[in-house]
Amino acid sequence: MNLSNLHPAAGSKHSDAFRVGRGHGSGNGKTAGRGQKGQKSRSGGKVRVGFEGGQMPLYRRLPKRGFTCINSKKIIAINVSELERLEADSVVTIDTLIESGLVKNTFDGVKILGNGELSKKLTVQVNAFSKSAVAKIEAAGGKAEVI
């Protein structure tokens, strides 16, 4: 037996359709199970999320760190030297980069950077290039095309 097998005994729980506030004889009349006084006894007595009864809430007690820009994009960077693995005279697209294992996930785009050397003629079609990467690809006889 474990916690996932436990359930209340038959008849020990009221159904959701239990009629409250129908007099003393019903066993749940007058205050209808809401108790005597307090915020939750009144109609519309909802406690907002994070409210701790006037105590400083947890989200205000914890220190805040850093900043996350909601408009930032995650660009995957690949150096020119890593394109040496690919076959010469081929068209390099994002799909071929994924197939070759150079990229696992493209996120918001792929950018080729100019670190390293390239000796093969390649037509590279990705989202962005650095100036030095374009110069090295074209020096090897290839093309750098932005898609």
Side-chain angles (χ1 to χ4, degrees):
M1 172 173 282
N2 57 24
L3 289 176
S4 64
N5 296 338
L6 295 176
H7 52 82
S12 66
K13 279 185 66 175
H14 293 298
S15 69
D16 292 337
F18 188 75
R19 289 161 41 98
V20 294
R22 296 294 185 270
H24 294 289
S26 69
N28 214 347
K30 191 175 174 263
T31 56
R34 290 169 175 252
Q36 296 293 321
K37 298 179 183 175
Q39 182 178 19
K40 291 169 108 181
S41 71
R42 271 83 166 154
S43 65
K46 294 180 178 79
V47 182
R48 87 179 131 74
V49 176
F51 184 70
E52 297 184 23
Q55 173 177 299
M56 186 67 68
L58 182 67
Y59 71 90
R60 289 187 60 196
R61 280 179 286 174
L62 295 176
K64 309 299 182 274
R65 298 268 312 170
F67 171 76
T68 303
C69 180
I70 60 170
N71 297 320
S72 66
K73 293 189 177 182
K74 188 167 184 181
I75 306 294
I76 303 302
I78 299 175
N79 287 312
V80 168
S81 59
E82 295 181 39
L83 299 177
E84 279 291 327
R85 292 192 216 177
L86 304 169
E87 297 177 24
D89 296 323
S90 63
V91 176
V92 180
T93 62
I94 293 174
D95 294 330
T96 56
L97 292 173
I98 292 171
E99 289 169 13
S100 65
L102 286 172
V103 176
K104 287 184 181 175
N105 191 344
T106 58
F107 294 103
D108 294 317
V110 176
K111 183 173 184 174
I112 306 294
L113 303 179
N115 192 7
E117 296 299 322
L118 182 65
S119 60
K120 298 177 180 177
K121 179 182 173 186
L122 297 171
T123 303
V124 186
Q125 299 173 340
V126 292
N127 303 100
F129 295 90
S130 67
K131 290 179 184 176
S132 59
V134 171
K136 289 181 181 182
I137 291 169
E138 290 176 351
K143 288 186 202 173
E145 300 174 357
V146 177
I147 55 168

